[in-house]
Amino acid sequence: MSGRAQLMWDEAVTGYDFGPEHPMDPVRLALTRSLVGALGLDREVEVVAARPAGDSTLRLVHREDYIDAVKAASAEPASADVSYGLGTIDDPAFAGMHEVSALIAGQSVGAAEAVWRGDAPHAVNFAGGLHHAMPGAASGFCVYNDAALAVARLLELGAERVAYVDVDVHHGDGVQAAFWEDPRVLTVSLHEHPATLFPQTGWPEETGADRAEGSAVNVALPAGTGDAGWLRAFHAVVPEVLAEFRPQVLVTQHGADTHFEDPLAHLAVSLDAQRAVQVACHELAHEYAGGRWVALGGGGYAVVEVVPRSWTHLVGIAAGRPVEPETVIPEGWRQEVYARTRQLGPQRMTDGRWPVPFAAWEAGYDPADRLDQAVRAARRAVFPLRGLLP
C-alpha cells in the first residue's frame, strides 16, 4: 500500500452550479482546494483526477430511466422532468448537469478503488458526499449519489463489509435507502432530528429491512446540540457498532453544515469539533478497517467562513499532516476570498475551542437530558439487533 493519501480533484467539479441564488455555491469547492494549496497540503498527497462515472457504474445505484432523465435535463434544462426531482427549487436543471454530476461521482468511485486496491491508504473527495440522491430521483441538492456509488463499487470489487458513517447535519437518506436490504453495508448517520430538518427521515427506529435488521443506525440529535453533545453522541454509538461490524473499508461523509454559522440548519457545532470527529474517523479506520478510509465532503453553506477550513482539516488528517488548529491562514488566500466573494476570510484554522471537551457515555447518562435521550433511543433501537448491550 502506498504511503501517500489521494486527493481527488478536477477543477471541472466547480461546474456543479445550480445558479447564483442557490445556497450550494461552488466557490466553496474552489476555496477549499485553494486553501489546501496555500497550506502546502497538496504536496503531501497525490492529487488525482479520476474519470467520470460511466453509465454502467451509475446503474450500480441509479435506475436507467433516471439517468436518461438527467441526461435529457442536462441537454435541455427547460425540459427537466420534475417527477424525477429535476427542475425543482432544490435541484434546478442546468446545462452539463449530467456530465459534472458524473464527474463528481467518478472521483468518489475512484477514491474507493484506490483504497480497496491498496494504491493509497486514504482518499478524500470533498466535492462528493451528495448523499440525498435516490435511485430514481434527485433530492436535496444531489443529482447522483456518489457516496452510495463508492460503497456499491467496493461491493462490486469484492468487499464483504463496508461501513458508511455520515455526520452531515442532514440524514444520509439516499445512502441508507440504497443499502436498506443489504446486510453487507452498515450505514450510520448522526443528524439533526427529522422533526426539525429536511429530509424528515432518520428516526432511530429506522434500522434496516427484515433481512438486514440492524444495518442502519440513526442518531437524531435535538436542535441546538453543540460541541460536547455532538462528540458525546458520536463516541457513544459509532465505535461500538464499528467494532462489532468489523468493516473492511470505512467510508465517511463530512458535511460541514453542523456548524453554528450554517444558515440551513440548527446545530451549534464548531470547526474544532468537526476536526475532532475527522480525527476520530481516521483513528477508527485504522482500528477497525485496516486503515482503509474514503472521506467525502457533503453539505455546508457557510461557504467562506466554515467549509474551506473544515475540509482542509480533513485533507490534512488523511494526508498524515494534520493542520494545527492555531495555524494562521495565509494572507494570499484571504485576498483570494475577498476577490471572489467580497467577504473577509477567517484568520485562523480554529474557532478557538480546541481541544473540545465532552463527557464519555461510559461515565453514565442523564435520563432527563434531551441529548442523552437521543443517544439512548439510537442504542435501544439497534444495539440489541447487533448483539450489543443498549
Side-chain angles (χ1 to χ4, degrees), residues 270-292:
S270 72
L271 180 77
D272 299 292
Q274 291 178 347
R275 182 185 186 276
V277 160
Q278 294 166 3
V279 169
C281 287
H282 178 229
E283 292 173 348
L284 290 168
H286 280 280
E287 188 165 359
Y288 298 120
R292 296 188 184 95

Side-chain angles (χ1 to χ4, degrees), residues 132-222:
H132 294 306
M134 293 292 174
S139 177
F141 314 163
C142 307
V143 177
Y144 292 138
N145 195 319
D146 65 284
L149 287 163
V151 173
R153 179 63 175 140
L154 288 165
L155 297 176
E156 188 178 49
L157 290 171
E160 297 174 344
R161 295 180 308 282
V162 180
Y164 171 77
V165 175
D166 187 318
V167 297
D168 194 288
V169 78
H170 302 92
H171 177 227
D173 58 337
V175 184
Q176 176 179 286
F179 303 105
W180 184 249
E181 299 180 353
D182 195 335
R184 298 175 297 172
V185 180
L186 177 71
T187 63
V188 185
S189 180
L190 280 80
H191 47 267
E192 184 179 326
H193 199 284
T196 56
L197 193 67
F198 174 90
Q200 283 80 51
T201 58
W203 298 82
E205 295 78 15
E206 297 171 30
T207 58
D210 288 346
R211 64 182 299 267
E213 273 197 323
S215 66
V217 184
N218 287 291
V219 187
L221 302 170

